[in-house]
Amino acid sequence: QVQLVESGGGLVQPGESLRLSCAAARSIFSFYVMGWYRQAPGKQRELVASINIGGATNYLDSVKGRYTLSRDSAKNTVYLQMDSLKPEDTARYYCNGRTDSLDYWGQGTQVTVSS
């Protein structure tokens, strides 16, 4: 069972920043794509940002210019830098790793943006 462990969530005010981390128990290059999803109460889970094995990134329109996904292969960790946070960014954020046959998920980390 592959472990993905998220950290870095918290309560911040609008306009502030957070950096989420997703630590994998094995090489992040064993996944052909890794991503961050979020789910707010009463809403469907949505893809926020992803990075493929070649390094190409993709972002949800509403976070473009504010969120940056990066990775550190030496630490087997993927990061999501979130700047200029808005109340509508409030959600539980989940790390995902996808192989040819399986999707792996972390337990999630809560991000709350409120004044």
Side-chain angles (χ1 to χ4, degrees):
Q1 183 74 15
V2 174
Q3 286 186 314
L4 298 174
V5 180
E6 303 99 331
S7 61
L11 171 64
V12 296
Q13 295 188 345
E16 294 185 338
S17 299
L18 280 174
R19 188 177 79 157
L20 305 183
S21 299
C22 172
R26 69 186 197 192
S27 171
I28 57 175
F29 294 117
S30 65
F31 305 101
Y32 70 78
V33 64
M34 293 192 75
W36 286 94
Y37 289 72
R38 68 186 181 187
Q39 187 167 21
K43 295 187 176 181
Q44 288 190 334
R45 190 173 294 190
E46 62 180 356
L47 176 62
V48 175
S50 64
I51 184 166
N52 68 18
I53 196 167
T57 54
N58 182 57
Y59 296 93
L60 183 68
D61 283 348
S62 62
V63 307
K64 284 180 180 177
R66 300 189 298 119
Y67 287 18
T68 304
L69 195 155
S70 62
R71 64 189 179 188
D72 185 336
S73 58
K75 297 181 178 180
N76 290 328
T77 300
V78 174
Y79 303 98
L80 185 67
Q81 177 67 39
M82 306 186 295
D83 298 320
S84 303
L85 282 161
K86 303 176 180 181
E88 51 264 42
D89 295 319
T90 295
R92 192 164 185 84
Y93 284 68
Y94 297 88
C95 180
N96 169 268
R98 183 166 296 170
T99 68
D100 287 341
S101 55
L102 289 173
D103 267 325
Y104 297 90
W105 294 92
Q107 81 287 352
T109 185
Q110 180 67 34
V111 172
T112 303
V113 185
S114 175
S115 55

